[in-house]
Amino acid sequence: MFNPSELKGVIFDLDGVLTDTAEFHYQAWQQLADETGLPFDREANEALRGLSRRESLMRILGDRTFSEEAIQSMMDKKNGYYVALIQNITAAELLPGSVALLDELRQAGIKAAIGSGSKNARTIIDKLGIGDRIDAISDGYSVSNSKPAPDVFLHAAGLLGLEPSQCAVVEDAGAGVEAALAAGMWAIGLGPAERVGAAHVVLPSLDGITLTDLTSKLAQAQPG
Ligand code: B16
Ligand code: MG
């Protein structure tokens, strides 16, 4: 059972939770796919949500085989397109409700961390201007096993000095919810049930969501 007094940390996924960079990832993959002659569209992009850069490329390549050198070059190209697209991110790109919740957590003495699969997480956090509201960052450089492995969230909890059972994760991706559950944490999924329905609590977004909303919904959820 969830006990609200035991919640000591909230770990936020970045892309799709605090800001919506999914469109930029889509545009960058689409550009790479077009110039490489690979089939790709928005629907295919949806299946990549939360996956690492390499795993995303592997899904796009399917059963086509390429040398490691070619794979590396494709990842570098995609990242170049993506990095160009995120240059203009500002605080205006923070998703509704995210800053209010971060501020409420700080006031309540609950730590906030980032648990993102992205190697561009620190750049995006800087551009969003939320670095001073975040106690720890676990990102694509922090661990080698990416979501749905629990490693990125376990690393975040370790940086906060907390046990997994004291942490809740906010995620927009199925792979991220799976990672949070595998880590033994409380999972809050944002988006449609088809995507994040395995989470303990499912919400459309963080818009208007208070700490009390989260703890009371988690208290009603079944453990596991
Ligand atoms: P990068 P998150 C993930 O971030 C994205 O959802 C996913 O689309 C992306 O492929 C992955 O980061 C790696 O990003 O290429 O910037 O290292 O949702 O875990 O915050
Ligand atoms: Mg995400």
Side-chain angles (χ1 to χ4, degrees):
M1 279 295 287
F2 176 76
N3 179 349
S5 68
E6 282 169 19
L7 183 71
K8 301 286 185 233
V10 178
I11 304 171
F12 293 87
D13 171 59
L14 184 60
D15 293 339
V17 168
L18 298 182
T19 187
D20 201 357
T21 43
E23 177 64 22
F24 298 144
H25 280 296
Y26 163 68
Q27 289 177 19
W29 283 125
Q30 188 71 65
Q31 189 171 345
L32 177 83
D34 288 348
E35 67 190 28
T36 316
L38 296 163
F40 190 70
D41 57 18
R42 281 185 184 277
E43 200 188 330
N45 185 65
E46 257 312 292
L48 307 182
R49 201 177 270 262
L51 300 181
S52 70
R53 196 180 308 166
R54 177 176 286 269
E55 184 57 29
S56 299
L57 178 59
M58 291 305 145
R59 301 275 175 113
I60 294 170
L61 296 180
D63 50 17
R64 297 168 189 82
T65 46
F66 287 87
S67 67
E68 176 55 29
E69 198 185 350
I71 287 169
Q72 198 59 55
S73 152
M74 284 187 267
M75 290 197 296
D76 290 348
K77 274 192 197 165
K78 182 269 177 179
N79 193 51
Y81 304 145
Y82 180 69
V83 167
L85 289 166
I86 61 175
Q87 288 315 305
N88 296 327
I89 287 182
T90 67
E93 271 72 41
L94 279 160
L95 286 172
S98 50
V99 168
L101 184 58
L102 286 170
D103 286 346
E104 205 188 344
L105 291 174
R106 179 140 298 183
Q107 276 180 3
I110 294 175
K111 302 260 187 234
I114 297 293
S116 168
S118 176
K119 291 184 170 170
N120 294 293
R122 282 174 193 271
T123 305
I124 294 170
I125 290 163
D126 282 351
K127 290 193 176 290
L128 292 172
I130 53 168
D132 57 350
R133 290 177 166 93
I134 304 291
D135 299 296
I137 298 172
S138 176
D139 64 12
Y141 288 110
S142 306
V143 295
S144 37
N145 294 325
S146 50
K147 302 170 189 176
D151 304 36
V152 73
F153 294 137
L154 292 172
H155 183 73
L159 291 174
L160 295 177
L162 299 176
E163 295 299 322
S165 61
Q166 297 176 303
C167 298
V169 168
V170 187
E171 255 293 346
D172 71 306
V177 168
E178 213 183 303
L181 296 175
M185 299 179 181
W186 295 94
I188 298 154
L190 303 185
E194 308 86 72
R195 198 170 79 206
V196 291
H200 295 101
V201 170
V202 175
L203 299 168
S205 74
L206 289 178
D207 197 3
I209 298 297
T210 64
L211 175 57
T212 311
D213 292 330
L214 290 185
T215 53
S216 61
K217 283 177 192 298
L218 283 171
Q220 291 162 25
Q222 296 300 312

